[in-house]
Amino acid sequence: MPGWLDCGGAVPERESEIRVYAIVRSGGRQHKVAVGDIVEVDKISTAKVGDTVELSTLLVVDGDAVTSDPWVLAGIKVQAEVVDHHKGQKIDILRYKNKTGYRRRQGHRQQYTAIKVTEIPAAAK
């Protein structure tokens, strides 16, 4: 029966490349990053566009090898390059209390830094 399930008799092969990724901490949040990814993190006020920043690592996955030992991870810093500083979308904060005439409206735009991950060092075994 031809249709969207028919893949021509051949099963597509998965990527043979092993993807290395890391969980990093930035601005009190955790981000999953891989080499070449562009990630939005809270604004890094000390960095300018083009600068290199180091992010502390919480976990490194290299194929089947998972490194989560804090003593090993203390020496691993993910390298990233600052691409851009920008503001996020505006959010509206509305407060309302019934029957009292209390209404407050407030807006907020979070400032972000876009970074491009350039290197994830391998854990020493």
Side-chain angles (χ1 to χ4, degrees):
M1 179 166 135
W4 63 276
L5 288 175
D6 185 26
C7 59
V11 178
E13 293 185 25
R14 297 197 180 239
E15 283 186 29
S16 61
E17 179 183 326
I18 297 173
R19 182 139 176 160
V20 177
Y21 67 90
I23 307 294
V24 296
R25 179 182 303 159
S26 176
R29 299 180 187 176
Q30 297 176 7
H31 303 276
K32 178 181 175 184
V33 298
V35 174
D37 287 353
I38 296 178
V39 182
E40 278 187 344
V41 297
D42 288 341
K43 185 174 182 182
I44 304 171
S45 59
T46 58
K48 296 184 173 121
V49 175
D51 288 352
T52 301
V53 293
E54 290 184 342
L55 303 172
S56 61
T57 308
L58 301 173
L59 180 82
V60 175
V61 177
D62 186 4
D64 292 333
V66 177
T67 306
S68 61
D69 183 19
W71 298 105
V72 175
L73 292 173
I76 298 176
K77 300 287 184 189
V78 172
Q79 302 291 321
E81 178 186 348
V82 176
V83 177
D84 185 29
H85 294 292
H86 61 276
K87 289 185 179 181
Q89 285 187 329
K90 183 166 187 169
I91 60 169
D92 289 324
I93 299 117
L94 302 173
R95 297 188 180 122
Y96 172 79
K97 291 194 178 178
N98 195 13
K99 300 177 190 163
T100 61
Y102 178 81
R103 294 178 183 169
R104 296 288 178 265
R105 181 169 184 253
Q106 180 184 3
H108 176 75
R109 290 185 73 183
Q110 182 68 33
Q111 295 196 10
Y112 292 109
T113 298
I115 59 173
K116 182 176 183 177
V117 178
T118 56
E119 179 186 1
I120 298 176
K125 295 182 182 182

